[in-house]
């Protein structure tokens, strides 16, 4: 499978956790030495390899490299929960422990191809609000359909325990973001061909997701347009959900 890596950014800090998310960014706040957040970027290191550039951000938004940056790790999508940075790498999800100064230390790798051997290509990663559950979106997770693999995080080691598959069929390959109660998450997807969807997920007490079709009051398109096409979705911790449509 040919892969190309685009810029992936994660924001993380030490204390005062406010949220967990993924994709282009996830944010938490901190208060020490004028540190607002740590910023992690997966960028090209030349050829087909990548590296993680890590920065400390202050209250003015200025960035300075953290000790040891860049970290020579070949990764793609990333997500953080304040203790660990998780990153897709080949057929694994790598866990990196975040030190007090924002530097990263490799902890452990977990093979995400759990549904069927040799099947599944990692896309996005996302945590729930507690940081105890991780969700990985996979292409062709069973060699036929897309889906989300659901994982429980081992706080002591950074390892991941496989909970099961949330099968999303031929459509969604994006991870959900959760509203304030951490029970419902939402996303959207458009394959730019013939499939598009707006997806809702209910999180169980053990972290497993169950997909459902959310009832929505969709906007009326202008005359001559049959419907708006959803592309992306995001929720905030105050129970708002936004969808990008065109």
């Amino acid at each position: 499978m040919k892969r190309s890596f685009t810029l992936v950014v994660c924001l993380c800090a030490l204390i005062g956790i406010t949220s967990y998310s993924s994709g282009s960014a996830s944010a938490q706040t901190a208060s020490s030495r004028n540190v607002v957040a740590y910023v992690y970027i997966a960028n090209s290191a030349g050829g087909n390899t990548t590296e993680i550039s890590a920065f400390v951000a202050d209250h003015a938004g200025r960035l300075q490299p953290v000790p040891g940056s860049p970290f020579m790790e070949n990764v793609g999508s990333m997500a953080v929960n304040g203790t660990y940075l998780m990153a897709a790498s080949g057929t694994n999800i790598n866990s990196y422990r975040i030190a007090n100064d924002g530097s990263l230390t490799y902890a452990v790798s977990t093979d995400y191809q759990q549904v069927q051997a040799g099947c599944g290509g990692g896309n996005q990663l996302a945590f729930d609000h507690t940081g105890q559950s991780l969700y990985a979106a996979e292409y062709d997770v069973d060699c036929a359909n897309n889906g989300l693999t659901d994982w429980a995080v081992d706080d002591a080691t950074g390892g991941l325990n496989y909970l099961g598959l949330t099968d999303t069929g031929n459509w969604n390959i994006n991870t959900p973001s959760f509203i304030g109660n951490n029970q419902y998450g939402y996303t959207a997807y458009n394959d730019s061909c013939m499939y598009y969807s707006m997806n809702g997920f209910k999180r169980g007490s053990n972290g497993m997701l169950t997909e459902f079709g959310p009832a929505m009051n969709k906007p009326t398109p202008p005359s001559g347009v049959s419907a708006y096409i959803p592309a992306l979705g995001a929720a905030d911790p105050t129970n708002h959900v936004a969808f990008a449509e065109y």
Side-chain angles (χ1 to χ4, degrees):
M1 177 182 294
K2 183 179 180 181
R3 297 181 184 276
S4 61
F5 291 97
T6 55
L7 185 68
V8 180
V9 181
C10 282
L11 305 180
C12 176
L14 295 176
I15 52 178
I17 294 171
T18 60
S19 67
Y20 298 100
S21 58
S22 74
S24 61
S26 58
Q28 300 156 49
T29 58
S31 57
S32 64
R33 304 188 315 278
N34 201 34
V35 174
V36 174
Y38 293 116
V39 181
Y40 300 96
I41 303 173
N43 55 272
S44 174
N48 294 321
T49 62
T50 63
E51 62 189 10
I52 303 175
S53 297
F55 302 90
V56 57
D58 65 17
H59 287 282
R62 294 168 297 205
L63 299 177
Q64 294 292 331
V66 304
S69 178
F71 301 92
M72 302 305 296
E73 300 290 343
N74 197 32
V75 302
S77 179
M78 302 184 296
V80 292
N81 71 353
T83 303
Y84 295 101
L85 181 149
M86 305 291 185
S89 178
T91 61
N92 293 322
I93 298 173
N94 293 348
S95 301
Y96 302 90
R97 185 175 291 277
I98 302 171
N100 288 341
D101 62 2
S103 60
L104 301 174
T105 303
Y106 171 81
V108 67
S109 293
T110 303
D111 183 356
Y112 63 69
Q113 292 184 332
Q114 297 292 313
V115 178
Q116 186 168 328
C119 297
N123 186 34
Q124 297 178 357
L125 301 177
F127 282 104
D128 75 319
H129 288 313
T130 70
Q132 299 301 304
S133 300
L134 181 74
Y135 303 101
E138 298 185 36
Y139 299 94
D140 295 333
V141 66
D142 58 0
C143 288
N145 300 293
N146 301 326
L148 299 172
T149 47
D150 306 346
W151 306 84
V153 180
D154 186 326
D155 285 336
T157 67
L160 299 173
N161 299 312
Y162 179 61
L163 299 175
L165 169 68
T166 303
D167 193 336
T168 58
N170 293 323
W171 292 273
N172 180 55
I173 52 169
N174 295 327
T175 51
S177 58
F178 293 88
I179 60 173
N181 64 10
N182 204 40
Q183 187 175 8
Y184 295 99
Y186 301 89
T187 189
Y189 173 69
N190 173 35
D191 72 352
S192 300
C193 180
M194 61 183 295
Y195 296 113
Y196 59 88
S197 60
M198 301 170 80
N199 308 82
F201 299 89
K202 184 176 182 180
R203 182 176 178 272
S205 59
N206 68 342
M208 272 292 297
L209 297 181
T210 302
E211 187 178 12
F212 69 95
M216 300 180 183
N217 294 320
K218 298 180 181 179
T220 302
S223 177
V225 177
S226 60
Y228 285 112
I229 305 299
L232 296 169
D236 72 5
T238 55
N239 299 335
H240 298 102
V241 182
F243 292 96
E245 300 182 86
Y246 64 92

